[in-house]
Amino acid sequence: MVKIDNIELGEFPLLLAPMEDVSDPPFRAVCKEGGADLMYTEFVSSEGLIRDAAKSVQKLDIFEYERPIGIQLFGSDIETMGECTKIATKAGPDLIDINYGCPVKQVACRGAGAALLQDIPKMVKMTEAVVKATHLPVTVKTRLGWDESTKNIEDVAERLQDIGIKALTVHGRTRVQMYKGDADWTLIGKIKDNPRIKIPIFGNGDIDSPEKAIEYRNRFGVDGIMIGRASIGYPWIFNEIKHFIKTGEHLAPPTTAERVRVCRKHLDFSIQWKGERTGILEMRRHYATYFKGLNNFKPYRMRLVETLDYAHILEILDEVTDIYALEKVEA
């Protein structure tokens, strides 16, 4: 049984990665149904929380069915991170996660996210401030290092464990790599082999099939896997991996009708949480991935993204169900 502090996650947990503009409550709802064992909010700006910025505050919304759920924070100022941790704790998550992995310029070039990989002493002090500011378990998500010459994750893992974090997730790329090239899990495996490391270690990067999940589990010995991009439009991946690990067999891919059902659930929750106009607008980014593999789907996608009428969207989705009912969809 893998545990983060007292949170039981099963024998080989599958985590949903925190993804900006993706892993909001509507998306998390379908991923929970799809088998995710632990989920995180979109990453929340510490400065935004301190300013009481509406977007940052809304990201604290969590629901009972999501548990266990973590709120992920990022920032560049140690004191501010401590203060925002207290605010996030009051929102009632099961844990607090710190983002030391985001590579995008808007975050890293402001001294937050992966930028802390260039200043490990500051990372340690910031983590310590967060740990001291909450009674909840604190976890960290980061990368191998800033670039090829500074892959310092083994040292980082020891130092962060020593000041009290309860789990570590490592994305198998440096900040300079962004999301290019193949993720290298070799150092993640070395962390697991380190006898000093007692906390769970989760691997992240390029897991997009049940075969790869079980291969990486066996090769690198991680306690669980975090899945990000492969879950977008395909929340079934969690249960597919679990079934393959348990039985060695593949679950049948979702039918078009099942894809429409889950897409509609996502849409309905999006409208419920954000309001009809915003919910419909923000759902547009998901249609292409939900129906990836359908032949000649582009005309339907264009119709879906061109309308703001909820009833019309449902009519189009019903049409998709009928037209593609007998067509095999490539996962």
Side-chain angles (χ1 to χ4, degrees):
M1 173 69 70
V2 176
K3 298 171 67 175
I4 297 179
D5 203 22
N6 292 320
I7 304 170
E8 296 184 352
L9 298 176
E11 292 185 5
F12 188 71
L14 303 177
L15 287 59
L16 173 66
M19 294 177 283
E20 179 69 359
D21 294 327
V22 176
S23 53
D24 56 13
F27 181 73
R28 299 199 301 266
V30 297
C31 287
K32 187 69 173 183
E33 179 184 308
D37 295 302
L38 172 62
M39 304 188 295
Y40 294 89
T41 63
E42 300 171 82
F43 44 87
V44 181
S45 164
S46 58
E47 288 81 4
L49 274 190
I50 296 298
R51 296 196 314 269
D52 202 29
K55 184 176 182 180
S56 294
V57 172
Q58 188 184 36
K59 289 179 181 179
L60 298 182
D61 286 354
I62 54 178
F63 299 85
E64 285 303 309
Y65 70 81
E66 299 184 284
R67 297 189 185 281
I69 178 80
I71 292 176
Q72 191 189 68
L73 305 173
F74 76 95
S76 59
D77 181 77
I78 294 173
E79 183 178 351
T80 301
M81 280 290 285
E83 289 302 311
C84 83
T85 298
K86 296 176 183 177
I87 298 171
T89 299
K90 292 178 181 178
D94 298 286
L95 56 86
I96 299 293
D97 188 72
I98 310 174
N99 182 325
Y100 293 138
C102 181
V104 300
K105 289 183 179 180
Q106 298 94 314
V107 175
C109 291
R110 294 180 179 177
L116 275 300
L117 287 164
Q118 298 179 102
D119 190 345
I120 303 306
K122 182 177 179 180
M123 178 194 285
V124 171
K125 290 180 181 178
M126 182 177 288
T127 306
E128 188 173 25
V130 171
V131 169
K132 289 180 177 179
T134 183
H135 66 280
L136 298 172
V138 173
T139 62
V140 164
K141 183 171 188 285
T142 187
R143 289 181 169 237
L144 301 178
W146 180 260
D147 56 25
E148 286 296 314
S149 65
T150 58
K151 289 184 176 179
N152 46 20
I153 188 59
E154 293 178 85
D155 177 55
V156 167
E158 289 190 3
R159 295 177 69 175
L160 295 186
Q161 177 185 258
D162 289 347
I163 58 171
I165 72 165
K166 301 301 183 180
L168 175 67
T169 300
V170 182
H171 181 96
R173 291 181 175 87
T174 64
R175 188 271 168 178
V176 169
Q177 283 181 274
M178 301 292 284
Y179 296 99
K180 298 176 182 177
D182 295 330
D184 180 3
W185 286 45
T186 306
L187 291 180
I188 304 175
K190 287 184 178 180
I191 296 169
K192 272 304 301 177
D193 289 339
N194 183 344
R196 279 205 61 215
I197 297 296
K198 307 300 181 184
I199 59 175
I201 301 298
F202 303 115
N204 174 233
D206 293 353
I207 300 299
D208 56 8
S209 69
E211 290 88 350
K212 188 172 284 188
I214 200 167
E215 176 194 351
Y216 279 38
R217 180 196 67 172
N218 294 341
R219 282 178 61 191
F220 303 108
V222 291
D223 295 290
I225 288 173
M226 178 178 281
I227 299 172
R229 289 173 292 171
S231 67
I232 300 174
Y234 204 82
W236 300 273
I237 191 169
F238 300 99
N239 278 332
E240 288 184 358
I241 291 172
K242 289 180 177 181
H243 184 80
F244 190 75
I245 289 174
K246 184 177 181 180
T247 69
E249 299 177 353
H250 286 282
L251 281 175
T255 62
T256 303
E258 170 66 4
R259 288 173 180 247
V260 168
R261 182 192 70 80
V262 174
C263 179
R264 179 170 173 172
K265 176 178 179 177
H266 192 166
L267 170 65
D268 287 344
F269 199 150
S270 185
I271 290 172
Q272 176 187 336
W273 187 57
K274 303 172 185 176
E276 183 164 332
R277 179 179 175 81
T278 302
I280 288 174
L281 285 171
E282 295 194 2
M283 189 65 193
R284 290 176 173 179
R285 64 171 69 100
H286 294 283
Y287 293 126
T289 47
Y290 268 117
F291 301 107
K292 182 180 180 181
L294 287 182
N295 292 322
N296 303 313
F297 183 74
K298 185 176 179 179
Y300 293 98
R301 183 179 67 81
M302 295 306 296
R303 289 167 60 192
L304 286 167
V305 301
E306 287 171 356
T307 182
L308 285 171
D309 183 83
Y310 174 71
H312 189 209
I313 292 173
L314 298 188
E315 290 175 3
I316 299 169
L317 290 175
D318 287 341
E319 186 178 341
V320 169
T321 301
D322 294 338
I323 293 295
Y324 291 95
L326 300 179
E327 181 167 329
K328 184 179 179 181
V329 179
E330 298 290 338

